[in-house]
Amino acid sequence: MYRINLVVKRIFDLVSSMILALILLPLWIALALWIKLDSKGPVLFKQGRRTKDGRIFNLYKFRSMVVNAEKMEAGLFNYENDPRVTRVGKILRNTSLDELPQLFNIIKGDMSVVGPRPCVSYELGDFDTLNKRYKKRFEVKAGLTGLAQVKGRNDISWDEKVGYDNQYVDNFRRI
């Protein structure tokens, strides 16, 4: 039954993300132009993230910060009124429109529509030495959205996110 669930989920991922990508194409073009007019640099930002079994892939987002922001000030983490976030980037982040290019990650098979959000490749340290609780979330593909986002997004601790991610893994395996 689990294998059938995986096939059905992959079909859903492909069909829904391709339809959304086509429908949203005019919006993507407008956002790309807006980003280019607002700040120098590429339209898309790519970053190494972890997905199923700890595999690293390039996650795509609309760029919402200045180029090389990770190498400045707070590094990986951003904070309220972070000067590295562009004017357009602030709007993209508040509306989650910066996440739209991840539909291509779903089409490629790196991600799923629903699953634990993919963490930055080096965020948790060495994957091989992660404890069982933190590693469990990597038993399924990373997702565009997941239970942790529904339950609190950035308002909950990393430990709470892992708990919700693991709850999703358990529930998916039971279906």
Side-chain angles (χ1 to χ4, degrees):
M1 190 64 171
Y2 178 69
R3 288 184 190 266
I4 293 171
N5 290 342
L6 288 174
V7 170
V8 169
K9 185 173 185 176
R10 181 67 184 136
I11 291 168
F12 170 79
D13 288 344
L14 273 173
V15 171
S16 63
S17 57
M18 288 184 338
I19 289 170
L20 277 172
L22 285 172
I23 291 171
L24 295 172
L25 186 61
L27 175 63
W28 288 14
I29 293 168
L31 291 174
L33 291 171
W34 198 24
I35 292 166
K36 280 307 249 183
L37 291 172
D38 183 53
S39 63
K40 292 181 181 178
V43 169
L44 293 179
F45 169 76
K46 68 179 181 178
Q47 184 179 52
R49 299 283 182 109
R50 289 200 184 273
T51 190
K52 188 175 184 330
D53 301 323
R55 185 177 65 79
I56 297 173
F57 71 100
N58 281 321
L59 176 127
Y60 300 106
K61 287 181 148 194
F62 281 120
R63 184 176 54 79
S64 61
M65 297 180 104
V66 297
V67 175
N68 294 321
E70 284 183 319
K71 297 176 182 155
M72 307 162 111
E73 298 175 34
L76 179 61
F77 304 100
N78 69 315
Y79 50 91
E80 194 172 336
N81 298 318
D82 189 335
R84 300 172 301 163
V85 178
T86 64
R87 288 184 307 247
V88 170
K90 189 171 188 175
I91 295 166
L92 292 175
R93 285 172 171 231
N94 288 339
T95 58
S96 295
L97 290 172
D98 61 326
E99 310 286 352
L100 288 178
Q102 290 166 47
L103 291 173
F104 289 117
N105 288 116
I106 295 168
I107 293 166
K108 283 176 54 180
D110 294 327
M111 292 176 62
S112 186
V113 173
V114 179
R117 284 295 296 157
C119 64
V120 177
S121 61
Y122 53 84
E123 189 172 9
L124 298 176
D126 182 39
F127 179 77
D128 294 328
T129 60
L130 276 180
N131 66 45
K132 279 175 49 175
R133 183 170 183 273
Y134 273 52
K135 226 176 199 181
K136 182 176 185 173
R137 66 190 304 275
F138 297 104
E139 292 178 9
V140 296
K141 279 185 190 175
L144 181 63
T145 190
L147 189 56
Q149 283 63 48
V150 174
K151 296 287 189 172
R153 198 172 180 184
N154 293 328
D155 296 330
I156 58 176
S157 71
W158 182 251
D159 205 51
E160 289 173 295
K161 287 178 187 179
V162 170
Y164 287 125
D165 290 342
N166 289 346
Q167 183 181 342
Y168 170 79
V169 171
D170 290 340
N171 290 342
F172 184 74
R173 290 200 177 278
R174 266 189 239 132
I175 295 174

